[in-house]
Amino acid sequence: MDESEFLAGYDPRAYPAVAVTVDVVALTIRGGALHVLLVQRGEQPYAGLWALPGGFIRPGEDLPEAAARELDEETGLTGRVHIEQLASYGAPERDPRMRIVSISYLAFAPDLPDPRAGSDAADAAWHRVDRLPKLAFDHERILGHGLERARDKLEYTPLATAFAGERFTISELRAVYETVWGVPLHAGNFHRKILSVPGFVESTGETTESGGARGGPRAKLYRAGDARLLHPALLRPSREEEIR
């Protein structure tokens, strides 16, 4: 039997139905705190509860396209947003409707605007990751994995620059690390570490317009370099203690 004959007699209804969705963990820093984007469900199941933005993939749609579309449709967020695949979730009882496998994505960018809810959501809002409401489905688990991925990637990739914008000072970059990791960092040590990592940041040749509130010297401005991995890595203080 050749392939065409096999496909002509193939009946997908002979197998249990399984649907595929995407869910997006979208992170940004607002007011000096790490926030995640949540939508309030306007329909059952779990109507009224908050959840990660997401939904079913469409026929002929690739997974990254579906994630970007859902993020835009449910929130109205557009512009430069870094998005990458996080993990997959397929526990049989994770969704009361049917067997649904979710592919989660992690998205992050600096100063993302206030969202607007899509047609199937009652509301959409940024929530501080340390002040979360009860979440629908298994989204608390997905969010936990997304936060840990982001914290880990700050150690060995230049992810922090995606939170900092096109131009930034070393102090602003340090604020990203402190916010995502949730720990204070020594300013002088951090400055030396950043500039010792090849390709992490590069100088723009420019400085800030003023020296800040205390009237000190103007700070140098940097942009993301061409490094894809950081060597040596910037370990979290807790991770440094574990290695010792």
Side-chain angles (χ1 to χ4, degrees):
M1 179 184 296
D2 62 20
E3 183 175 337
S4 60
E5 291 176 321
F6 165 76
L7 292 176
Y10 180 77
D11 184 5
R13 295 171 297 179
Y15 300 91
V18 178
V20 179
T21 62
V22 291
D23 290 303
V24 182
V25 179
L27 302 174
T28 196
I29 295 176
R30 295 164 65 89
L34 186 62
H35 285 67
V36 62
L37 182 64
L38 298 177
V39 296
Q40 189 175 37
R41 290 184 59 79
E43 302 173 354
Q44 293 292 355
Y46 303 116
L49 289 188
W50 291 87
L52 298 171
F56 292 93
I57 66 170
R58 294 173 177 173
E61 187 176 45
D62 198 5
L63 291 169
E65 293 177 286
R69 173 183 54 78
E70 286 289 348
L71 186 61
D72 182 60
E73 287 182 355
E74 295 202 16
T75 65
L77 294 178
T78 57
R80 187 175 64 88
V81 178
H82 175 91
I83 188 166
E84 64 181 59
Q85 191 172 123
L86 175 61
S88 56
Y89 302 84
E93 306 299 328
R94 64 176 301 274
D95 194 301
R97 292 168 290 187
M98 62 180 296
R99 182 68 187 273
I100 295 179
V101 175
S102 176
I103 312 300
S104 64
Y105 281 80
L106 182 62
F108 26 78
D111 301 321
L112 290 176
D114 290 331
R116 67 167 187 269
S119 59
D120 58 349
D123 195 7
W126 292 104
H127 290 253
R128 285 181 55 141
V129 299
D130 57 350
R131 300 176 185 175
L132 294 173
K134 179 178 174 58
L135 301 184
F137 305 105
D138 54 355
H139 288 188
E140 181 177 350
R141 180 181 179 224
I142 298 175
L143 173 57
H145 291 167
L147 290 172
E148 192 59 27
R149 167 75 69 83
R151 288 164 180 154
D152 284 347
K153 292 198 70 170
L154 257 63
E155 295 186 2
Y156 62 89
T157 77
L159 169 63
T161 60
F163 285 98
E166 293 185 5
R167 300 187 308 161
F168 48 84
T169 65
I170 297 298
S171 294
E172 290 170 338
L173 192 64
R174 186 180 80 251
V176 171
Y177 276 88
E178 292 178 332
T179 300
V180 178
W181 282 352
V183 294
L185 301 173
H186 186 277
N189 289 342
F190 180 84
H191 193 282
R192 286 190 293 273
K193 286 181 179 180
I194 293 299
L195 297 185
S196 70
V197 179
F200 187 4
V201 299
E202 60 182 33
S203 175
T204 64
E206 303 172 359
T207 62
T208 56
E209 294 183 359
S210 64
R214 297 184 179 181
R218 294 184 294 179
K220 294 181 180 179
L221 288 170
Y222 295 83
R223 66 170 69 92
D226 58 4
R228 293 296 175 263
L229 294 175
L230 305 185
H231 184 74
L234 299 176
L235 298 179
R236 278 180 275 180
S238 59
R239 189 70 60 84
E240 289 179 328
E241 294 172 1
E242 291 173 7
I243 292 176
R244 291 182 194 142

